[in-house]
Amino acid sequence: MCIRDSIGGGLPVNFASDEYTPTFATYVAALKEGVPALFSGRYSIITEFGRSLSAKAGILASRVEYVKVNGGRRIVQQHIGADLAIRTVWQPENWKLRVDVYNLYEKATDAAEKGDVVARTPTGVLRPLDAATDVQTDVAGPCCLGGDLMCADRALPATVLPL
């Protein structure tokens, strides 16, 4: 008689937003509905939640090396790409990363304290109104291949410059 069972696992990760969907509670509710005997107390259940435990727990930070325009496309060259996020580079439609500009925080905080108008990016980062004009931008990584893109055609501030 089997009293311990590994039911697999691996909850998906919603990379498009900060929301955790599906939640662990949703997962448990689906199991209780579909296989109520697992929760009778008779069995020991083993599962693993895979990337859902850590996918949103960290950040990758880089500095802008240079900004260029090539073929009418604005490209920000920085230091993260296929070397660290190979899934995103090769299958961007399946492994999206949220990209934002954080080096404007201090300037935006100063502007807000002076009573100037500030804006928030889609991910909630403050930035001064003079930096609120977004430009469609590709963010390229350090590898020497045309496809080393962290994101393509993303709205980022026109004021992004190398440090």
Side-chain angles (χ1 to χ4, degrees):
M1 169 184 278
C2 177
I3 58 169
R4 179 170 291 152
D5 192 19
S6 173
I7 60 173
L11 284 178
V13 178
N14 174 4
F15 286 103
S17 78
D18 286 332
E19 289 183 54
Y20 287 87
T21 56
T23 65
F24 298 114
T26 303
Y27 178 68
V28 170
L31 285 174
K32 283 182 177 179
E33 182 180 326
V35 194
L38 287 176
F39 297 89
S40 67
R42 183 176 179 189
Y43 303 101
S44 174
I45 303 168
I46 301 169
T47 189
E48 58 90 14
F49 294 107
R51 293 175 50 84
S52 65
L53 290 175
S54 62
K56 295 184 181 191
I59 65 166
L60 298 173
S62 181
R63 67 184 175 103
V64 173
E65 187 67 29
Y66 59 88
V67 179
K68 67 180 182 179
V69 176
N70 188 358
R73 293 171 44 202
R74 181 172 186 258
I75 301 170
V76 170
Q77 180 71 43
Q78 49 80 51
H79 297 276
I80 298 172
D83 56 331
L84 294 174
I86 195 159
R87 290 176 175 169
T88 297
V89 169
W90 295 112
Q91 290 188 325
E93 65 283 352
N94 296 323
W95 299 96
K96 293 182 172 137
L97 290 179
R98 291 166 288 161
V99 174
D100 211 333
V101 177
Y102 290 92
N103 64 339
L104 296 172
Y105 176 78
E106 188 174 323
K107 186 177 175 186
T109 303
D110 291 345
E113 287 173 1
K114 288 189 274 184
D116 293 341
V117 179
V118 296
R120 285 196 182 273
T121 68
T123 56
V125 175
L126 280 174
R127 71 176 185 231
L129 191 59
D130 67 345
T133 303
D134 288 337
V135 178
Q136 295 310 111
T137 305
D138 294 348
V139 177
C143 297
C144 295
L145 57 116
D148 189 10
L149 294 175
M150 294 303 292
C151 66
D153 202 31
R154 186 76 54 90
L156 293 176
T159 55
V160 171
L161 296 171
L163 294 176

